[in-house]
Amino acid sequence: MLKHLYIKNFALIDILDIDLYPGFSVITGETGAGKSIVLGAIGLLLGQRADLKTLKQGADRCVIEAHFDLSRYQMEAFFEENDIEYDAEDCIIRRELSAAGKSRAFINDTPVQLSMLKELGERLVDVHSQHQNLLLNKQDFQMSVLDIIADDAQQLAAYQESYNAYHQAANELEALKEEIERNRKNVDFLQFQYQELANARLQPGEQEELEQKSETMTHSEEIKSALYEADNALQADETGIVTQLRSAMNALKGIGRVLPEAEELATRMDSTYIELKDIAGEVSGLMDDVDFDPAELDTVNERLDRLYDLQKKYHAEDTEALIAQRDSLQQQLENLDNSDEALREREQQVAQLKTQCQQLADALTKLRMKAAKTVEKEMQQRLVPLGMPNIRFQISIIQEGLAANGQDKVAYLFSANTSTPLQPVSQVASGGEIARVMLALKAMISGAVKLPTIIFDEIDTGVSGKIAEKMAEIMHEMGSHERQVISITHLPQIAALGSAHYKVEKEETAQGTTSKMALLTPEERITEIAQMLSGSKVTDAAIQNAKDLLKVKK
């Protein structure tokens, strides 16, 4: 549950530092006093996107921090999975906004992504605002309520895994059919392309080898001239480097007996002489290998032109890409020959997966239908005391084929009168009736979900008097089962039933308008509820009525 809330520099709030308590609490205040600001701050803690406009004007930083007691809700796994320190009695969630546009989020002082903050927030607090009443018109909301009561999370997960496998296989089957049909229409063209590439007798690395050979043959005269010049420089009879090096080496050897250093130099020159002689031999060999044959060059260039034409035609970068296309065409033709058998195998696989999926869908439908009876009965019991003595509430479940969440289409049908036929609740229920239906639904599912904190933002819209009192009793009951329920309300009947009563009000200061929230004393509660009953002028009768509502003795 939410046990402490701290807000600094958020909208009209300078500083709010307040304790909150278990059970049923109420928040009151005039319209525009700042109740929505407090809710907006809590929304940021639950992972909503930040808007810099909410930063108090002139402030550098906004801080919103909440302390939660999680000791009764077994949430250790979330903290272990996300490597966050776990403190069951004091879980701290903090959000910081800066005027520079930066937003940071923390769980127990560990920086976290907004998505993680939202994931934890969904487990901690449910904020029911007026716009959530529109959810009654949403198929997924109606289904989720039914699934919560059915407690079918494991069955739904098993179905979804099966459905995903079936859906993927069905898509692959359709793709295969389209490919086979396309290939059958183009079989002659595929055969022509394959034959053309096959007849080309493509070889890996062939292009690079031919390009090098063409380059060499094209420059053969230049190459031979350079090789001749190098050979002459190395091996000319009298001026060649090898000849002169040999002469120098012999001369040094001749004086080696009288000059030991000369002998050492001669030995060093000997290894150089051997290397140069070997190089000279290779140069001579290259001279013999290089020959210009116009016919062979034409043959090489013709082959290269053929390869280039094929690459351009098939949009290939090189010979290897052409070979890959040839092999692909061959595979397509082979697949086409075996297409009937492949199609039968894939169809059998899809049929088997669909059968498995259908079985799981049928089991899911049974659970939902059983839960629907429970929901219908409980909603009847909850709505009759809320001023709907002739209420009829029915859940229609029809099968419309396999889909992501099963085969069922759910519709909540409603009639407040015996003479009015059942119709979708969002189409026939008034604003006050929808508020009561939503409260009944929330009360019903809150036990199953076991959320620590539920906040109702003006759930009492469109109701008054005894009905408001009954709604307050429901919220009070919800708050008595290890749960914290907070109601923002304008009705004295609801405000009077809270175990704790907070008031939000505006205050004009020298620095501007600020919003404040405070826990009311018993005496202050009487005055506040009296004002809610009679307006700004508090009468003795209003005071007495407030005491009666609060069950305070004279």
Side-chain angles (χ1 to χ4, degrees):
M1 58 159 249
L2 176 60
K3 62 180 186 177
H4 189 82
L5 181 63
Y6 174 83
I7 304 172
K8 181 178 181 180
N9 295 331
F10 182 76
L12 296 178
I13 296 175
D14 287 330
I15 289 184
L16 174 64
D17 194 4
I18 197 162
D19 292 325
L20 294 108
Y21 301 94
F24 178 46
S25 300
V26 295
I27 300 175
T28 61
E30 294 181 2
T31 300
K35 300 185 294 297
S36 60
I37 295 175
V38 176
L39 273 185
I42 293 174
L44 287 180
L45 286 176
L46 303 182
Q48 292 180 6
R49 291 288 176 184
D51 184 350
L52 283 180
K53 294 178 181 178
T54 58
L55 189 68
K56 188 171 180 63
Q57 189 173 5
D60 295 328
R61 189 172 70 124
C62 162
V63 178
I64 306 168
E65 182 176 286
H67 294 245
F68 289 86
D69 182 350
L70 309 181
S71 55
R72 298 178 179 179
Y73 299 100
Q74 295 156 0
M75 293 188 180
E76 296 93 332
F78 173 87
F79 293 84
E80 291 176 2
E81 291 169 5
N82 294 290
D83 195 25
I84 298 173
E85 182 182 352
Y86 177 68
D87 186 339
E89 296 183 355
D90 191 23
C91 172
I92 305 172
I93 297 179
R94 187 169 75 256
R95 188 84 181 271
E96 297 179 0
L97 308 178
S98 73
K102 293 184 178 180
S103 171
R104 299 193 299 169
F106 302 85
I107 300 175
N108 290 338
D109 287 329
T110 299
V112 297
Q113 296 291 329
L114 203 58
S115 57
M116 188 180 297
L117 192 69
K118 185 175 182 180
E119 182 181 350
L120 178 59
E122 289 175 348
R123 301 186 186 191
L124 295 177
V125 181
D126 174 33
V127 178
H128 180 92
S129 57
Q130 290 186 53
H131 78 270
Q132 271 199 325
N133 289 339
L134 299 175
L135 290 174
L136 270 179
N137 196 32
K138 302 293 184 182
Q139 163 76 201
D140 54 353
F141 172 76
Q142 296 182 5
M143 181 69 79
S144 66
V145 171
L146 199 57
D147 284 333
I148 288 171
I149 301 304
D151 192 21
D152 59 11
Q154 290 185 347
Q155 291 85 351
L156 180 58
Y159 167 80
Q160 288 174 332
E161 181 179 355
S162 176
Y163 174 78
N164 290 337
Y166 158 65
H167 192 253
Q168 180 178 348
N171 287 339
E172 291 173 355
L173 174 60
E174 289 304 312
L176 178 61
K177 288 180 179 179
E178 291 176 4
E179 180 184 357
I180 291 173
E181 182 63 25
R182 187 168 55 250
N183 289 345
R184 280 176 177 166
K185 290 180 179 179
N186 299 327
V187 64
D188 292 339
F189 182 59
L190 293 174
Q191 185 65 49
F192 168 78
Q193 288 184 312
Y194 168 71
Q195 203 60 53
E196 183 176 40
L197 292 174
N199 291 340
R201 301 181 185 279
L202 303 167
Q203 297 296 326
E206 176 186 14
Q207 181 176 333
E208 292 79 3
E209 183 180 341
L210 289 172
E211 286 173 340
Q212 182 61 54
K213 193 171 185 178
S214 174
E215 187 75 10
T216 300
M217 294 178 70
T218 301
H219 297 85
S220 60
E221 292 301 323
E222 179 185 346
I223 294 170
K224 289 190 72 172
S225 176
L227 290 174
Y228 176 79
E229 184 178 346
D231 181 68
N232 189 55
L234 287 167
Q235 300 191 85
D237 289 341
E238 295 182 1
T239 60
I241 295 173
V242 175
T243 302
Q244 293 189 40
L245 183 61
R246 183 178 58 195
S247 297
M249 184 177 61
N250 290 335
L252 289 172
K253 284 183 178 181
I255 61 172
R257 58 188 178 79
V258 295
L259 184 64
E261 292 86 347
E263 180 67 30
E264 182 180 346
L265 290 171
T267 301
R268 290 169 61 189
M269 291 174 69
D270 184 52
S271 61
T272 304
Y273 171 75
I274 294 172
E275 177 68 15
L276 283 173
K277 190 175 181 181
D278 185 59
I279 291 172
E282 290 190 23
V283 170
S284 296
L286 287 173
M287 289 177 61
D288 294 337
D289 292 341
V290 175
D291 192 14
F292 178 68
D293 184 348
E296 184 178 1
L297 179 59
D298 288 343
T299 301
V300 169
N301 286 336
E302 286 176 4
R303 179 60 175 172
L304 282 172
D305 288 342
R306 176 63 175 153
L307 294 178
Y308 295 150
D309 288 343
L310 288 171
Q311 288 170 23
K312 183 177 180 181
K313 181 176 181 179
Y314 289 95
H315 306 288
E317 293 183 358
D318 50 32
T319 307
E320 279 66 27
L322 286 174
I323 292 173
Q325 288 199 39
R326 178 199 65 195
D327 295 343
S328 175
L329 288 165
Q330 183 180 20
Q331 186 64 52
Q332 289 181 58
L333 291 168
E334 290 177 359
N335 289 344
L336 200 55
D337 291 338
N338 302 320
S339 60
D340 291 340
E341 182 179 353
L343 200 58
R344 279 194 300 271
E345 290 179 358
R346 191 65 63 88
E347 286 173 341
Q348 289 175 357
Q349 178 193 15
V350 170
Q352 183 178 4
L353 289 171
K354 183 177 181 180
T355 299
Q356 295 172 355
C357 189
Q358 185 65 59
Q359 291 172 347
L360 291 170
D362 291 340
L364 197 58
T365 297
K366 289 181 180 178
L367 290 174
R368 287 169 172 167
M369 286 183 167
K370 182 178 179 182
K373 297 300 181 185
T374 300
V375 173
E376 290 170 354
K377 181 179 179 180
E378 188 164 342
M379 288 295 288
Q380 184 87 9
Q381 293 171 346
R382 289 182 177 276
L383 289 172
V384 168
L386 290 177
M388 299 184 187
N390 299 315
I391 178 68
R392 284 181 295 155
F393 187 91
Q394 183 175 317
I395 298 179
S396 167
I397 302 177
I398 59 175
Q399 284 70 58
E400 289 195 336
L402 300 175
N405 289 318
Q407 63 182 339
D408 308 310
K409 181 180 179 181
V410 174
Y412 287 4
L413 305 179
F414 173 88
S415 175
N417 306 297
T418 55
S419 59
T420 305
L422 286 164
Q423 295 185 53
V425 61
S426 60
Q427 297 179 17
V428 295
S430 66
E433 289 169 340
I434 286 179
R436 283 174 274 176
V437 169
M438 285 299 290
L439 177 61
L441 285 172
K442 290 279 185 174
M444 181 179 58
I445 66 177
S446 61
V449 176
K450 294 184 179 178
L451 278 167
T453 300
I454 300 175
I455 301 175
F456 290 105
D457 181 16
E458 300 184 4
I459 188 69
D460 49 36
T461 300
V463 299
S464 61
K466 291 184 178 180
I467 304 305
E469 187 176 344
K470 291 294 183 181
M471 293 178 73
E473 290 174 357
I474 290 175
M475 288 185 278
H476 190 276
E477 180 189 357
M478 291 171 64
S480 64
H481 297 288
E482 297 185 357
R483 192 176 299 104
Q484 179 185 46
V485 176
I486 301 172
S487 176
I488 297 174
T489 182
H490 288 293
L491 297 181
Q493 293 88 348
I494 292 179
L497 212 58
S499 300
H501 187 159
Y502 300 86
K503 182 177 181 179
V504 178
E505 58 185 337
K506 282 183 180 178
E507 183 178 282
E508 297 297 333
T509 67
Q511 290 74 35
T513 304
T514 62
S515 285
K516 296 184 178 295
M517 176 174 163
L519 177 64
L520 300 182
T521 65
E523 293 75 16
E524 290 171 335
R525 287 193 73 182
I526 294 173
T527 303
E528 172 67 7
I529 292 175
Q531 286 181 336
M532 295 173 73
L533 287 165
S534 65
S536 58
K537 185 178 180 180
V538 179
T539 64
D540 291 340
I543 291 288
Q544 183 59 51
N545 287 339
K547 290 180 178 180
D548 290 341
L549 285 174
L550 288 164
K551 296 181 174 59
V552 177
K553 293 182 180 179
K554 296 179 183 179

PDB file of all heavy atoms in Angstrom, residues 351-370:
ATOM      1  N   ALA A 351      -2.862 -28.382 -40.237  1.00  0.00           N
ATOM      2  CA  ALA A 351      -4.100 -28.981 -39.725  1.00  0.00           C
ATOM      3  C   ALA A 351      -3.906 -29.519 -38.318  1.00  0.00           C
ATOM      4  O   ALA A 351      -4.775 -29.366 -37.449  1.00  0.00           O
ATOM      5  CB  ALA A 351      -4.559 -30.085 -40.667  1.00  0.00           C
ATOM      6  N   GLN A 352      -2.748 -30.138 -38.077  1.00  0.00           N
ATOM      7  CA  GLN A 352      -2.458 -30.676 -36.752  1.00  0.00           C
ATOM      8  C   GLN A 352      -2.344 -29.547 -35.720  1.00  0.00           C
ATOM      9  O   GLN A 352      -2.897 -29.644 -34.616  1.00  0.00           O
ATOM     10  CB  GLN A 352      -1.165 -31.484 -36.787  1.00  0.00           C
ATOM     11  CG  GLN A 352      -0.813 -32.148 -35.458  1.00  0.00           C
ATOM     12  CD  GLN A 352       0.456 -32.977 -35.539  1.00  0.00           C
ATOM     13  OE1 GLN A 352       1.126 -32.998 -36.574  1.00  0.00           O
ATOM     14  NE2 GLN A 352       0.798 -33.649 -34.472  1.00  0.00           N
ATOM     15  N   LEU A 353      -1.633 -28.485 -36.086  1.00  0.00           N
ATOM     16  CA  LEU A 353      -1.486 -27.341 -35.184  1.00  0.00           C
ATOM     17  C   LEU A 353      -2.838 -26.677 -34.912  1.00  0.00           C
ATOM     18  O   LEU A 353      -3.115 -26.240 -33.791  1.00  0.00           O
ATOM     19  CB  LEU A 353      -0.503 -26.321 -35.767  1.00  0.00           C
ATOM     20  CG  LEU A 353       0.966 -26.744 -35.785  1.00  0.00           C
ATOM     21  CD1 LEU A 353       1.803 -25.747 -36.580  1.00  0.00           C
ATOM     22  CD2 LEU A 353       1.510 -26.864 -34.361  1.00  0.00           C
ATOM     23  N   LYS A 354      -3.683 -26.600 -35.929  1.00  0.00           N
ATOM     24  CA  LYS A 354      -5.002 -25.989 -35.740  1.00  0.00           C
ATOM     25  C   LYS A 354      -5.860 -26.825 -34.799  1.00  0.00           C
ATOM     26  O   LYS A 354      -6.584 -26.273 -33.954  1.00  0.00           O
ATOM     27  CB  LYS A 354      -5.703 -25.837 -37.091  1.00  0.00           C
ATOM     28  CG  LYS A 354      -7.048 -25.133 -36.984  1.00  0.00           C
ATOM     29  CD  LYS A 354      -7.702 -24.931 -38.334  1.00  0.00           C
ATOM     30  CE  LYS A 354      -9.038 -24.197 -38.186  1.00  0.00           C
ATOM     31  NZ  LYS A 354      -9.703 -23.994 -39.485  1.00  0.00           N
ATOM     32  N   THR A 355      -5.766 -28.142 -34.934  1.00  0.00           N
ATOM     33  CA  THR A 355      -6.526 -29.025 -34.053  1.00  0.00           C
ATOM     34  C   THR A 355      -6.111 -28.821 -32.597  1.00  0.00           C
ATOM     35  O   THR A 355      -6.953 -28.715 -31.697  1.00  0.00           O
ATOM     36  CB  THR A 355      -6.328 -30.497 -34.456  1.00  0.00           C
ATOM     37  OG1 THR A 355      -6.808 -30.678 -35.795  1.00  0.00           O
ATOM     38  CG2 THR A 355      -7.072 -31.427 -33.511  1.00  0.00           C
ATOM     39  N   GLN A 356      -4.792 -28.779 -32.372  1.00  0.00           N
ATOM     40  CA  GLN A 356      -4.294 -28.546 -31.011  1.00  0.00           C
ATOM     41  C   GLN A 356      -4.765 -27.199 -30.483  1.00  0.00           C
ATOM     42  O   GLN A 356      -5.193 -27.073 -29.327  1.00  0.00           O
ATOM     43  CB  GLN A 356      -2.761 -28.610 -31.006  1.00  0.00           C
ATOM     44  CG  GLN A 356      -2.198 -29.976 -31.358  1.00  0.00           C
ATOM     45  CD  GLN A 356      -0.688 -29.956 -31.530  1.00  0.00           C
ATOM     46  OE1 GLN A 356      -0.059 -28.903 -31.473  1.00  0.00           O
ATOM     47  NE2 GLN A 356      -0.092 -31.115 -31.757  1.00  0.00           N
ATOM     48  N   CYS A 357      -4.691 -26.182 -31.334  1.00  0.00           N
ATOM     49  CA  CYS A 357      -5.098 -24.834 -30.942  1.00  0.00           C
ATOM     50  C   CYS A 357      -6.598 -24.792 -30.644  1.00  0.00           C
ATOM     51  O   CYS A 357      -7.028 -24.150 -29.673  1.00  0.00           O
ATOM     52  CB  CYS A 357      -4.733 -23.853 -32.059  1.00  0.00           C
ATOM     53  SG  CYS A 357      -4.932 -22.116 -31.618  1.00  0.00           S
ATOM     54  N   GLN A 358      -7.384 -25.476 -31.447  1.00  0.00           N
ATOM     55  CA  GLN A 358      -8.826 -25.493 -31.260  1.00  0.00           C
ATOM     56  C   GLN A 358      -9.200 -26.158 -29.936  1.00  0.00           C
ATOM     57  O   GLN A 358     -10.104 -25.700 -29.230  1.00  0.00           O
ATOM     58  CB  GLN A 358      -9.499 -26.224 -32.429  1.00  0.00           C
ATOM     59  CG  GLN A 358     -11.017 -26.189 -32.398  1.00  0.00           C
ATOM     60  CD  GLN A 358     -11.557 -24.780 -32.563  1.00  0.00           C
ATOM     61  OE1 GLN A 358     -11.285 -24.126 -33.559  1.00  0.00           O
ATOM     62  NE2 GLN A 358     -12.321 -24.300 -31.582  1.00  0.00           N
ATOM     63  N   GLN A 359      -8.491 -27.206 -29.590  1.00  0.00           N
ATOM     64  CA  GLN A 359      -8.751 -27.890 -28.319  1.00  0.00           C
ATOM     65  C   GLN A 359      -8.494 -26.954 -27.134  1.00  0.00           C
ATOM     66  O   GLN A 359      -9.287 -26.903 -26.185  1.00  0.00           O
ATOM     67  CB  GLN A 359      -7.878 -29.148 -28.210  1.00  0.00           C
ATOM     68  CG  GLN A 359      -8.280 -30.247 -29.185  1.00  0.00           C
ATOM     69  CD  GLN A 359      -7.290 -31.406 -29.195  1.00  0.00           C
ATOM     70  OE1 GLN A 359      -6.187 -31.304 -28.656  1.00  0.00           O
ATOM     71  NE2 GLN A 359      -7.681 -32.516 -29.821  1.00  0.00           N
ATOM     72  N   LEU A 360      -7.385 -26.214 -27.200  1.00  0.00           N
ATOM     73  CA  LEU A 360      -7.066 -25.270 -26.139  1.00  0.00           C
ATOM     74  C   LEU A 360      -8.074 -24.122 -26.110  1.00  0.00           C
ATOM     75  O   LEU A 360      -8.445 -23.624 -25.042  1.00  0.00           O
ATOM     76  CB  LEU A 360      -5.652 -24.723 -26.323  1.00  0.00           C
ATOM     77  CG  LEU A 360      -4.517 -25.741 -26.098  1.00  0.00           C
ATOM     78  CD1 LEU A 360      -3.180 -25.172 -26.547  1.00  0.00           C
ATOM     79  CD2 LEU A 360      -4.447 -26.135 -24.623  1.00  0.00           C
ATOM     80  N   ALA A 361      -8.528 -23.690 -27.291  1.00  0.00           N
ATOM     81  CA  ALA A 361      -9.531 -22.616 -27.364  1.00  0.00           C
ATOM     82  C   ALA A 361     -10.847 -23.075 -26.747  1.00  0.00           C
ATOM     83  O   ALA A 361     -11.510 -22.311 -26.035  1.00  0.00           O
ATOM     84  CB  ALA A 361      -9.737 -22.191 -28.815  1.00  0.00           C
ATOM     85  N   ASP A 362     -11.245 -24.316 -27.015  1.00  0.00           N
ATOM     86  CA  ASP A 362     -12.489 -24.846 -26.448  1.00  0.00           C
ATOM     87  C   ASP A 362     -12.413 -24.906 -24.919  1.00  0.00           C
ATOM     88  O   ASP A 362     -13.382 -24.570 -24.223  1.00  0.00           O
ATOM     89  CB  ASP A 362     -12.763 -26.247 -27.005  1.00  0.00           C
ATOM     90  CG  ASP A 362     -13.126 -26.217 -28.481  1.00  0.00           C
ATOM     91  OD1 ASP A 362     -13.523 -25.148 -28.970  1.00  0.00           O
ATOM     92  OD2 ASP A 362     -13.007 -27.266 -29.152  1.00  0.00           O
ATOM     93  N   ALA A 363     -11.232 -25.319 -24.415  1.00  0.00           N
ATOM     94  CA  ALA A 363     -11.057 -25.382 -22.965  1.00  0.00           C
ATOM     95  C   ALA A 363     -11.133 -23.983 -22.352  1.00  0.00           C
ATOM     96  O   ALA A 363     -11.720 -23.789 -21.283  1.00  0.00           O
ATOM     97  CB  ALA A 363      -9.715 -26.035 -22.630  1.00  0.00           C
ATOM     98  N   LEU A 364     -10.554 -23.009 -23.060  1.00  0.00           N
ATOM     99  CA  LEU A 364     -10.583 -21.621 -22.589  1.00  0.00           C
ATOM    100  C   LEU A 364     -12.019 -21.086 -22.589  1.00  0.00           C
ATOM    101  O   LEU A 364     -12.448 -20.388 -21.654  1.00  0.00           O
ATOM    102  CB  LEU A 364      -9.687 -20.767 -23.484  1.00  0.00           C
ATOM    103  CG  LEU A 364      -9.244 -19.391 -22.975  1.00  0.00           C
ATOM    104  CD1 LEU A 364      -8.502 -19.514 -21.644  1.00  0.00           C
ATOM    105  CD2 LEU A 364      -8.356 -18.726 -24.011  1.00  0.00           C
ATOM    106  N   THR A 365     -12.761 -21.436 -23.611  1.00  0.00           N
ATOM    107  CA  THR A 365     -14.166 -21.000 -23.694  1.00  0.00           C
ATOM    108  C   THR A 365     -14.978 -21.552 -22.528  1.00  0.00           C
ATOM    109  O   THR A 365     -15.806 -20.834 -21.942  1.00  0.00           O
ATOM    110  CB  THR A 365     -14.782 -21.462 -25.027  1.00  0.00           C
ATOM    111  OG1 THR A 365     -14.089 -20.825 -26.109  1.00  0.00           O
ATOM    112  CG2 THR A 365     -16.255 -21.111 -25.105  1.00  0.00           C
ATOM    113  N   LYS A 366     -14.755 -22.793 -22.178  1.00  0.00           N
ATOM    114  CA  LYS A 366     -15.480 -23.399 -21.056  1.00  0.00           C
ATOM    115  C   LYS A 366     -15.199 -22.652 -19.754  1.00  0.00           C
ATOM    116  O   LYS A 366     -16.109 -22.393 -18.947  1.00  0.00           O
ATOM    117  CB  LYS A 366     -15.102 -24.872 -20.912  1.00  0.00           C
ATOM    118  CG  LYS A 366     -15.663 -25.756 -22.017  1.00  0.00           C
ATOM    119  CD  LYS A 366     -15.269 -27.216 -21.799  1.00  0.00           C
ATOM    120  CE  LYS A 366     -15.833 -28.099 -22.914  1.00  0.00           C
ATOM    121  NZ  LYS A 366     -15.432 -29.522 -22.747  1.00  0.00           N
ATOM    122  N   LEU A 367     -13.926 -22.314 -19.535  1.00  0.00           N
ATOM    123  CA  LEU A 367     -13.565 -21.573 -18.325  1.00  0.00           C
ATOM    124  C   LEU A 367     -14.246 -20.203 -18.313  1.00  0.00           C
ATOM    125  O   LEU A 367     -14.745 -19.747 -17.275  1.00  0.00           O
ATOM    126  CB  LEU A 367     -12.044 -21.406 -18.249  1.00  0.00           C
ATOM    127  CG  LEU A 367     -11.226 -22.670 -17.967  1.00  0.00           C
ATOM    128  CD1 LEU A 367      -9.730 -22.375 -18.072  1.00  0.00           C
ATOM    129  CD2 LEU A 367     -11.539 -23.213 -16.572  1.00  0.00           C
ATOM    130  N   ARG A 368     -14.274 -19.556 -19.470  1.00  0.00           N
ATOM    131  CA  ARG A 368     -14.893 -18.228 -19.540  1.00  0.00           C
ATOM    132  C   ARG A 368     -16.402 -18.292 -19.340  1.00  0.00           C
ATOM    133  O   ARG A 368     -16.986 -17.417 -18.692  1.00  0.00           O
ATOM    134  CB  ARG A 368     -14.544 -17.580 -20.889  1.00  0.00           C
ATOM    135  CG  ARG A 368     -13.098 -17.115 -20.974  1.00  0.00           C
ATOM    136  CD  ARG A 368     -12.696 -16.717 -22.375  1.00  0.00           C
ATOM    137  NE  ARG A 368     -11.369 -16.109 -22.415  1.00  0.00           N
ATOM    138  CZ  ARG A 368     -10.675 -15.887 -23.523  1.00  0.00           C
ATOM    139  NH1 ARG A 368     -11.184 -16.231 -24.699  1.00  0.00           N
ATOM    140  NH2 ARG A 368      -9.492 -15.317 -23.466  1.00  0.00           N
ATOM    141  N   MET A 369     -17.008 -19.305 -19.895  1.00  0.00           N
ATOM    142  CA  MET A 369     -18.465 -19.436 -19.728  1.00  0.00           C
ATOM    143  C   MET A 369     -18.826 -19.690 -18.267  1.00  0.00           C
ATOM    144  O   MET A 369     -19.814 -19.151 -17.751  1.00  0.00           O
ATOM    145  CB  MET A 369     -18.988 -20.564 -20.611  1.00  0.00           C
ATOM    146  CG  MET A 369     -19.040 -20.194 -22.084  1.00  0.00           C
ATOM    147  SD  MET A 369     -19.757 -21.512 -23.097  1.00  0.00           S
ATOM    148  CE  MET A 369     -20.034 -20.626 -24.653  1.00  0.00           C
ATOM    149  N   LYS A 370     -18.011 -20.489 -17.601  1.00  0.00           N
ATOM    150  CA  LYS A 370     -18.247 -20.739 -16.177  1.00  0.00           C
ATOM    151  C   LYS A 370     -18.050 -19.449 -15.387  1.00  0.00           C
ATOM    152  O   LYS A 370     -18.849 -19.131 -14.488  1.00  0.00           O
ATOM    153  CB  LYS A 370     -17.291 -21.825 -15.684  1.00  0.00           C
ATOM    154  CG  LYS A 370     -17.492 -22.196 -14.224  1.00  0.00           C
ATOM    155  CD  LYS A 370     -16.531 -23.310 -13.811  1.00  0.00           C
ATOM    156  CE  LYS A 370     -16.714 -23.658 -12.341  1.00  0.00           C
ATOM    157  NZ  LYS A 370     -15.750 -24.716 -11.916  1.00  0.00           N
TER     158      LYS A 370
END
